[in-house]
Amino acid sequence: MERTLAIIKPDAVKKRVIGKIIQRIEDEGFEILAMKMLHLTKEEAKQFYYVHKDKPFYESLTDFMSSGRIVVLLLERENAIKHWREVMGATDPAQAKPGTLRRLYGFSVERNAVHGSDSPQTAEWEIQFFFK
Ligand code: UDP
Ligand code: MG
């Protein structure tokens, strides 16, 4: 069993697809171990995405991620990290495979509906960030 962190981003919350995304999470065999809704400050968004601090999209991304409520979920499943990233699809919704969450609900490479950890180390850090 493995754990990963998932986020339903502000664009998907505004679009009212929280329910659809959570249904998909359960249909994919994930157990939801913890879940909460919150509104990140700009400073918290910058901390969470610190790894991207030198990227050209850092300011815009952290503005977006602090622009509205998000839902944060702690998920458990066999191969959770890789499986959740497959369910999300590619970062750019236009490149994501049909049926993936980003293809279904994403708007742009920035406003792409969902987040997922990318490695066991990242998952541990991200889970600690939200669920101490
Ligand atoms: N992002 C962006 N512009 C880009 C690449 C990424 O705004 O050119 C945003 C997007 O919201 C993405 C997040 O930054 O989900 C983190 O980027 P990463 O490369 O880690 O993609 P992910 O792991 O989310 O697929
Ligand atoms: Mg990433």
Side-chain angles (χ1 to χ4, degrees):
M1 281 300 186
E2 188 177 65
R3 292 177 179 192
T4 193
L5 186 92
I7 302 178
I8 302 174
K9 296 185 178 184
D11 59 322
V13 172
K14 288 199 178 84
K15 210 170 173 180
R16 302 190 179 185
V17 291
I18 295 172
K20 289 194 169 70
I21 292 172
I22 291 177
Q23 185 65 61
R24 179 67 175 274
I25 286 170
E26 293 196 313
D27 289 346
E28 292 286 344
F30 290 97
E31 180 121 10
I32 300 172
L33 298 182
M35 172 167 80
K36 61 184 172 186
M37 176 174 262
L38 58 131
H39 189 149
L40 293 176
T41 63
K42 170 77 173 173
E43 210 42 54
E44 288 167 337
K46 285 173 79 172
Q47 284 167 27
F48 183 73
Y49 280 112
Y50 190 72
V51 62
H52 293 306
K53 68 176 163 42
D54 296 325
K55 304 272 173 61
F57 57 81
Y58 183 62
E59 272 307 313
S60 177
L61 171 64
T62 52
D63 278 345
F64 162 58
M65 288 301 291
S66 58
S67 70
R69 284 168 289 122
I70 61 172
V71 178
V72 188
L73 305 103
L74 172 50
L75 305 182
E76 186 174 77
R77 187 192 184 277
E78 209 172 277
N79 216 359
I81 295 169
K82 184 162 174 282
H83 193 77
W84 176 239
R85 291 192 68 88
E86 282 169 11
V87 173
M88 288 199 301
T91 307
D92 182 355
Q95 308 293 324
K97 287 187 188 140
T100 60
L101 292 171
R102 282 168 164 172
R103 179 70 171 264
L104 285 167
Y105 307 123
F107 172 73
S108 67
V109 68
E110 176 181 88
R111 293 166 193 239
N112 58 4
V114 282
H115 167 85
S117 312
D118 65 4
S119 73
Q121 293 71 29
T122 312
E124 198 181 319
W125 185 86
E126 292 183 351
I127 290 165
Q128 274 301 311
F129 187 91
F130 285 109
F131 300 104
K132 284 200 194 310

